Amino acid sequence: MKLPRLPLAFVRLLIQSVFLALGQIWARKGRSVLTTIGIVIGVASVTAVIAALTGLRANVLADFESIGANKIFVIPDWPDHGPRQHAPWKEIMLWPEQFDGLLEHCPSVQHFSRIDHSGTTARRGEDSLDVQLIGIEPPWHEIENRFVTAGRPFTLIEHSAARAVCLITAQVRDKLRLDRDCIGQRIILRNRSFRIVGIIEPAAALGIFGGGQRSQEVFIPFRTSYKMSGGPIYGIAASRSPELSEEAQAELRFFLRRQRRLQPGEPDTFRAEAIQKYIQAFMGMAIMITLIAGGIVGISLLVGGVGIMNIMLVSVSERTREIGLRKAVGARPSAILLQFLVEAVVLCLIGGLIGVLIGQGLTSAMAAIPQAKLHRAYIPMWAIGLSFGFSALVGIVFGMFPAIKAARLDPIEALRHE
Amino acid sequence: MMIRLENVTKVYRVGVERIHALNGISLEVAENEYLAVMGPSGSGKSTLMNILGCLDRPTSGTYQLDGKLLTRMGAGGLASIRNQRIGFVFQSFELLPRLNALKNVELPLIYSGLGWYSRRRRARAVLERVGLTGRMKHRPNQLSGGEKQRVAIARALIVNPRILLADEPTGNLDSRTSEEILALFDQLHRQGQTIIMVTHEEHVAGHSKRIVQMKDGRIWSDLPRHEGPPGSADSAGGEGGSP
Ligand SMILES: Nc1ncnc2c1ncn2[C@@H]1O[C@H](COP(=O)(O)OP(=O)(O)OP(=O)(O)O)[C@@H](O)[C@H]1O
Ligand SMILES: [Mg+2]
């Protein structure tokens, strides 16, 4: 008759408790659903927020993708320590010659262009417009993925002979009230007359970072620009693939350090940075937002938990006699504890399930509104797992007190209870 | 000796007052005895039964069941004693209203860790034994008083208890139904079951083989019911005599 206390017996008791809990909850459907509202709202909002952030993140990634995930900037910068920390600008600035022979020495770099970027006013007759004046080299089109839509790009002669030719965006053309077909017409930049040879496509419209000012751009050959301004300049490179970005950065660093004759151990006087870095910065931000949202949701789960605790206390006192009887026929305190704990957890998990379903509904609704730009929103698996995990945790934490109360009941007193 | 109570007292505190519900009870019960506890209301019969059934603990004194000292056991240990050695029948049946007869009966086995199949099989067998073959799927509110008490008895018997304790098992039943229940007890006794039962009524006590009279928390008389030496009739023996 005496049974060893096998884990099997525990498993059976657990299964029994789950069935009992389901029966108990089913018998009080209305009340149970009301009780779980806190959990439902908490889980629904956390899943919806995570889904929205997931969608947002997908947008940002797509944006960065269109900017170019394999793009690397090479910019001058003072080191934060070492003897050159306060070096004069002349020692820090990049010189065009320092990039000579770069492609041969950096096998992971596919394209490279020196850039001389400044602001100026473009004039034509009475009209004038503030524009970005950008000196570029031929590979720039490949790196930025922006090509000439009308007319032609610069010829190699125009590049090497530093001719006064320019490419403009359609926006510049319209603002300066040039003809639709303005190829061959002239505009004044820095008191010099430039012949328009082509129209260049605008920068890709981004979901998060707007275009705007960016597209008021005038491009001229790099050498033309540098002769006028004398810098400062920087470089942009494209690695052969996004995976090779790190490799390409290392090669660029090694190459430039040598060109700039930096001693071993001396810190860099420039930076070679991939766009990836900004993606990571954004990811960090997204995680922060998730955590803050998580905190807010945590509070609603807490409120939900208090509701669960309340209903479980009511349940324990309503069923005092039943508890007494179960104890009288041999239920150990631990069995009663398990029964009520399982009931609280099952209740919370049901709340969690309803919450996830509502969260899914909200997500589908968000995704369907075109203005919200959240068509990429979805609830990731881990968020669903997390929701159920938290629901169960709330059940255990807030079910514990009522369950202990039930487990501690004295069988005789419980049986006398009305 | 199967049951040995020595100098058991039970004191309740109500506010500052102390109520001596049991005042030094010593009692021995042997295997297959059929014992009736009688006495006026408030004499401590239920208190004694609760202690015998391990539902309550004495304030002082010792309780041995099958040579095992129970008075020092923890709540978990007492629970498994109740689960495996004791069948308790209450005056008010104490069936769970939402469970049918079968499920009510198999309840103790859930806490023995038995699987679904053997629980069902044993519950059916024991319901047949108490004559409820046709009522297995009935809920308590679909059963008569006598049938409810049979279910309760079946629940007490399902673990094959060493001892069957019944606190006024016929207290809520009419006389005809009472007789049926008592006939069932007689039958169980003939099959070897040890029974201790509380009653107010002479004719109920008349089914037992030994009568313990209580008053003010003490036993003042403990006699075999039949004239002649104890252990005649079908009682398997037991000295009976006063403590
Ligand atoms: N929980 C309790 N708290 C305080 N006093 C109690 C408690 N239970 C019983 N008593 C007291 O103990 C005494 C014995 O009670 P008990 O229930 O054992 O009597 P009984 O013989 O079963 O009476 P009845 O025949 O009416 O059922 C009574 O005086 C009662 O008031
Ligand atoms: Mg009583």
Side-chain angles (χ1 to χ4, degrees), chain B residues 45-47 91 167-168 198 200:
Chain B
K45 306 183 293 294
S46 293
T47 308
Q91 179 175 352
D167 192 352
E168 302 194 45
V198 169
H200 281 294

Side-chain angles (χ1 to χ4, degrees), chain A residues 240-252:
Chain A
R240 292 190 182 275
S241 68
E243 292 73 42
L244 281 174
S245 177
E246 300 269 331
E247 190 78 22
Q249 285 172 64
E251 290 166 5
L252 283 168

Side-chain angles (χ1 to χ4, degrees), chain A residues 416, chain B residues 12 14 19 21 40-47 168 200:
Chain A
R416 267 197 212 112
Chain B
Y12 290 110
V14 179
I19 294 162
S41 187
S43 56
K45 306 183 293 294
S46 293
T47 308
E168 302 194 45
H200 281 294

Side-chain angles (χ1 to χ4, degrees), chain A residues 74-79 84-99 114-117 222 225-235 256-257 259-262 268-271:
Chain A
V74 181
I75 52 174
D77 194 16
W78 278 271
R84 285 182 214 260
Q85 199 174 353
H86 304 290
W89 170 239
K90 264 190 159 345
E91 274 181 43
I92 301 299
M93 66 186 281
L94 294 165
W95 299 87
E97 316 78 76
Q98 288 175 344
F99 294 108
R114 284 167 269 227
I115 306 282
D116 179 10
H117 192 143
F222 175 78
S225 176
Y226 190 72
K227 275 188 173 166
M228 290 195 297
S229 68
I233 66 158
Y234 65 92
L256 266 186
R257 282 183 68 88
Q259 294 289 84
R260 288 163 73 95
R261 294 182 215 297
L262 295 178
D268 292 348
T269 53
F270 62 91
R271 284 186 287 155

Side-chain angles (χ1 to χ4, degrees), chain B residues 7-21:
Chain B
N7 235 339
V8 164
T9 70
K10 180 75 191 179
V11 181
Y12 290 110
R13 279 162 188 255
V14 179
V16 287
E17 218 177 330
R18 301 165 124 249
I19 294 162
H20 291 259

Side-chain angles (χ1 to χ4, degrees), chain A residues 330-401:
Chain A
R332 290 165 166 269
S334 55
I336 300 291
L337 184 91
L338 187 70
Q339 178 188 334
F340 280 86
L341 215 50
V342 164
E343 190 173 321
V345 169
V346 169
L347 203 55
C348 285
L349 286 178
I350 290 173
L353 179 68
I354 298 173
V356 166
L357 292 178
I358 292 178
Q360 180 58 54
L362 290 174
T363 305
S364 305
M366 288 194 286
I369 302 170
Q371 294 92 316
K373 288 190 174 171
L374 285 173
H375 57 281
R376 291 191 182 92
Y378 75 99
I379 304 176
M381 267 331 275
W382 63 262
I384 293 174
L386 197 75
S387 298
F388 283 117
F390 262 104
S391 302
L393 192 69
V394 165
I396 290 172
V397 168
F398 289 90
M400 191 53 92
F401 173 62

